[in-house]
């Protein structure tokens, strides 16, 4: 299907919600969310007993609700045995897209699998495209549309699109993302992939102006060649990271796949993905850390990294990670060193990492490395014992005293990637995020920042 | 020296603090900390101008303070050039142990290195043992003694002893540990290791009844054979994990070591460490995650892991990590499956991972696996969207509804290791930590929990 046809999934003109309820926690959450987020007047609800839901009229059947349409999107959350008939009815009233959230299909054993197989033919003849079943659908932070209840913290718009196979995984990531500083453009949970799959969404996200980077969790691929074509198309425009579950026999068995020659198949997946421009990550943390860097930073022009640190050990650990992952420690330009020497006491050694300890000169180091033509990317490793900085912070010390003026840094960070780590007292990390977190990625230790930078560097123009 | 001679470092009868001040942030922090934590009457302060510090009398010199002694520990935080004379005076009044926190020695260039070399002979003839210079000394959570300002959160006693080379690293870890659920027994920062080194502290911690596991950050070893003997002695009694900075040429250069044949030396270090029973970890996160597991859990009797999860994907990712690190997914006993089948609706598949989704049956799965003789260790993967559980939590749902009764779990966790992950909304994680965190290690995702379990399993009796 043309990707443009998926637009109503994320920005529907009129939604019909089949399975609205005040008492079922899950359904009530969806209704409450949509009513509370500006979709009240675009929402038509269907519930078996009709009557009202949250004070708004509900229709007993899809057919009865037809007059309130046309609908460009349906959300379906009803018991599995009733889903087929609901989809058929939706086809009859010319609703062409549905998010089926109901569980009880292929994931639940042979009976569910047979039920899911039955839907396949039905939706084709009804002319309706389906996301799901067994998913929680989508979130679009640009307009606040979501087919699941989302915490307000997760709705702050950002550049990361998340594609997850399982509903709960996606939903949980929405809960966990804000605490990591990660802001989403879209989130998509695919569930059992009766119809729409990862290739459809890669094609859609390739064209989505709000999405700067795509992070995917996959357990398997519905159609290998089609997936790789879509991957190639998307990675030509923006980074795509993939975390794959089921690398091992035990993992694959947990998915329910066949295990024959699994190791071979896993290596084949890696190779094909790489050829199509996608990057595989080792674990969930790397997926989110790499996506955070790519959503906020430009790719570096080269491999030369400048480090500014208040902690020798954090600098050493970061240097180990960077150089073992193909990056280099920048050799600072003589002019940079001379300029720094003029500002810094003679007993402070100048090098890279630029270890300024508790000298209070951190921001000078940042400015010098930003201006240095030999530095392609900056890693700022802030580790200050809370006890020693608390009095100053509580006396009103602005965060600009730490890294530099936010507006200057914001502008600089558009040209050169700047990644930050803060190992220490969480309230201090929160203050740093409040001051810099909307344009600088901030990680809880220097090694995670260095790993994220190595992923970002994989997308530099010269590579 | 006999290890017992180090006891006053952690539990001094009388402390003399050379360099007390109300105005220097660092020194004021030490004085304020000791006065506020029960050491007021055991503390004697020395400051050049004499007078008072925080309303208490201060002596102008060590000699003048002698009458208030004898002292079994000195804390020295004065400018580097004055340290030698202070140590000589301390020797004259028979103080045999000192923590020298002053910087400006070998870490600061040739002049400082010469100054440090000069101290070496001096302390030998003065008969005084020294921790530091360029460190923040020690923390002992059992009695609240610390030679640096520590946040109250970091003083909750636990089983992890931390040995870090650099002052700031140790201090920062003290800030960061509580947010990770990590509770310390002792923390030791060694700084430049003029005298006391990692071997002394391994020997001391081997005998420390409050320490269940040792976590070390090292950049190099002062005396290889002595280090390995102490490591062997300590690992015979408790797990020791080592994170080493300077694995790569760039990292080593950042330390300031020679780089010749570095890769070879790094491999030699790994091999020797392994032979002495120590476990090397890949990064800081693994160091803290492994220490957390070992501080709270017994080692499993065998490699068979039972998983209970609310999220298929988290179970799959954990299974991948476990089996690729030498563990197995347990085959549940037929009796366990029969007992579960009696309690669980027929459409819930029973296996391992035991994926109970949002069924509310999680605690049943935990109890069944705890009782199963085929399960050596449990991994509980809690991932519940906050939106769906918030109403119940806010209506007063006890945390026991989640994993089981805390007292039952506490008792069970003494026999079989139980590790938990929670990927999701941070306030929910905080609630879980409040209910279970003092006896169960809780990680922010299933892969980290699985990796920590693999380190714990390295110390099982059969291995």
């Amino acid at each position: 299907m043309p990707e443009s046809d998926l637009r109503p999934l994320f920005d529907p003109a009129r939604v019909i919600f089949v399975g609205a309820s005040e008492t079922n926690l899950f359904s009530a959450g969806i209704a409450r969310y949509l009513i509370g987020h500006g979709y009240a007047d675009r929402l038509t609800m269907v519930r078996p007993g009709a009557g009202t839901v949250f004070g708004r009229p509900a229709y007993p059947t899809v057919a009865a609700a037809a007059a309130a349409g046309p609908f460009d999107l349906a959300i379906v959350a009803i018991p599995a045995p009733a889903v087929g008939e609901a989809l058929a009815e939706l086809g009859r009233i010319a609703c062409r897209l549905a998010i089926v959230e109901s569980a009880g299909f292929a994931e639940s054993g042979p009976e569910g699998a047979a039920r899911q197989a039955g839907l396949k033919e039905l939706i084709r003849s009804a002319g309706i495209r389906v996301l799901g079943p067994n998913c929680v659908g989508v979130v679009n932070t640009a307009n606040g549309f979501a087919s699941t209840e989302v915490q307000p913290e997760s709705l702050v718009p950002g550049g990361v699109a998340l594609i997850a196979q399982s509903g709960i995984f996606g939903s949980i990531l929405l809960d966990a993302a804000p605490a990591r500083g990660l802001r989403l453009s879209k989130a998509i949970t695919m569930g059992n992939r009766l119809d729409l799959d990862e290739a459809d969404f890669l094609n859609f996200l390739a064209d989505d102006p709000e999405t700067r980077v795509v992070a995917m969790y996959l357990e398997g691929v519905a159609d290998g060649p089609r997936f790789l074509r879509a991957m190639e198309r998307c990675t030509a425009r923006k980074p795509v990271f993939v975390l794959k579950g089921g690398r091992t026999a035990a993992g694959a068995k947990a998915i329910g796949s066949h295990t024959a020659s699994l190791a071979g198949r896993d290596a084949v997946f890696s190779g094909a993905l790489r050829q199509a421009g996608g990057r595989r990550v080792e674990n969930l943390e790397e997926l989110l850390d790499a996506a955070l860097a790519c959503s906020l930073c430009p790719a570096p022009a080269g491999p030369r990294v400048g480090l500014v640190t208040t902690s020798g050990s954090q600098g050493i650990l970061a240097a180990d990670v960077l150089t073992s992952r193909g990056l280099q420690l920048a050799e600072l330009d003589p002019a940079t060193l001379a300029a720094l020497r003029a500002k810094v006491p003679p007993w402070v050694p100048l090098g890279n990492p630029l270890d300024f300890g508790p000298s209070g000169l951190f921001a000078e180091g940042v400015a010098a490395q930003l201006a240095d033509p030999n530095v392609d990317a900056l890693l700022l490793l802030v580790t200050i014992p809370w006890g020693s900085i608390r009095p100053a912070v509580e006396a009103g010390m602005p965060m600009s005293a730490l890294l530099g003026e936010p507006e200057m840094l914001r502008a600089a960070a558009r040209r050169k990637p700047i990644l930050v780590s803060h190992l220490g007292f969480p309230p201090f990390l929160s203050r740093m995020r409040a001051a810099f977190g909307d344009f600088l990625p901030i990680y809880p230790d220097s090694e995670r920042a260095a790993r994220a930078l190595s992923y970002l560097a994989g997308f530099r123009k010269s590579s």
Side-chain angles (χ1 to χ4, degrees), chain A residues 15-21 24 26-28 30-31 34 43-48 53 58-63 65-66 71 73-79 82-91 93 95 97-102 128:
Chain A
V15 183
I16 177 169
F17 177 21
V18 185
S21 162
N24 177 291
F26 184 74
S27 285
I30 298 171
L34 288 172
L43 180 66
T44 299
M45 293 190 277
V46 176
R47 68 175 278 241
V53 176
Y59 298 87
T61 62
V62 171
F71 306 106
L73 179 64
I75 297 172
V76 179
I78 53 179
V83 168
E85 179 50 31
L87 289 173
E89 281 191 54
L90 287 165
I93 66 166
C95 178
L97 262 177
I99 299 171
V100 178
E101 309 202 9
S102 317
I128 187 165

Side-chain angles (χ1 to χ4, degrees), chain A residues 82-445:
Chain A
V83 168
E85 179 50 31
L87 289 173
E89 281 191 54
L90 287 165
R92 283 194 288 273
I93 66 166
C95 178
R96 296 281 162 248
L97 262 177
I99 299 171
V100 178
E101 309 202 9
S102 317
F105 291 90
E107 85 286 358
S108 70
E111 198 186 331
R115 189 178 290 131
Q116 184 169 319
L119 283 191
K120 194 125 194 161
E121 186 44 43
L122 188 152
I123 65 168
R124 198 149 299 161
S125 62
I128 187 165
R129 304 298 309 259
V130 168
L131 172 59
N134 186 32
C135 73
V136 295
V138 304
V139 179
N140 182 3
T141 58
N143 58 7
F145 178 72
S147 59
T148 183
E149 206 171 7
V150 179
Q151 299 302 305
E153 296 85 346
S154 302
L155 285 172
V156 182
V160 178
L162 188 72
I163 304 179
Q165 203 146 8
S166 96
I168 203 164
F169 192 96
S171 175
I172 287 299
L173 283 182
L174 284 171
D175 283 347
R180 296 167 187 246
L182 200 70
R183 291 166 180 189
L184 303 180
S185 56
K186 310 271 188 292
I188 301 146
T189 67
M190 300 188 297
N192 296 5
R193 298 182 303 191
L194 167 71
D195 179 21
L196 296 171
D197 67 21
E198 53 281 354
D200 296 297
F201 293 109
L202 281 171
N203 276 321
F204 178 81
L205 293 172
D207 298 323
D208 180 35
E210 283 125 17
T211 295
R212 291 189 63 176
V213 50
V214 180
M216 311 181 78
Y217 170 70
L218 288 177
E219 288 164 5
V221 165
D223 176 339
R226 197 165 157 266
F227 167 70
L228 293 172
R229 281 196 304 275
M231 180 64 71
E232 206 162 348
R233 181 163 177 274
C234 196
T235 59
R237 307 182 188 188
K238 51 194 82 172
V240 180
F241 295 100
V242 178
L243 171 63
K244 185 164 175 309
R247 284 170 292 141
T248 64
K253 193 176 161 205
I255 296 175
S257 331
H258 299 293
T259 57
S261 75
L262 179 87
R265 282 199 281 123
D266 193 66
V268 167
F269 176 82
S270 278
L273 180 67
R274 200 179 315 117
Q275 283 206 315
R279 300 289 161 128
R280 195 164 177 182
V281 295
E282 290 299 311
N283 52 52
L284 175 66
E285 191 169 88
E286 285 191 12
L287 181 74
L288 302 181
D289 285 354
L292 177 62
C294 292
S295 72
L296 295 178
C297 304
R304 302 164 306 170
V305 183
L307 292 89
V308 188
T309 183
T310 56
S311 153
S313 13
Q314 286 286 292
I316 289 159
L317 291 170
D320 279 341
V321 171
L322 291 172
T323 59
S324 64
R325 295 173 81 104
L327 295 171
Q328 305 163 13
L329 296 206
E331 297 254 4
L332 298 188
D333 191 270
T336 305
L337 292 172
L340 276 172
R341 183 47 76 211
K343 291 177 182 161
V344 162
W347 50 266
V348 172
L350 296 183
N352 188 20
L354 200 51
D355 181 0
F356 275 166
S359 67
L361 293 164
F362 201 89
E364 297 285 359
V366 176
Q369 294 212 357
L370 275 174
D372 191 315
N374 293 352
V375 173
D376 298 314
L378 271 73
L379 214 49
L380 311 182
L381 313 176
V382 180
T383 51
I384 304 174
W386 178 239
S388 73
I389 201 170
R390 188 185 50 192
V393 169
E394 288 176 353
M397 182 194 91
M399 283 289 125
S400 57
L402 203 63
L403 307 183
E405 285 300 333
E407 284 320 305
M408 178 279 289
L409 283 170
R410 187 189 296 272
R414 285 192 200 106
R415 301 186 310 270
K416 250 186 211 189
I418 307 174
L419 288 80
V420 181
S421 75
H422 174 262
L423 175 65
F425 197 56
F428 191 23
L429 179 59
S430 303
R431 280 172 190 264
M432 284 182 60
R433 283 233 171 89
F436 306 110
D438 64 327
F439 62 97
L440 297 183
I442 306 179
Y443 300 92
D445 69 51

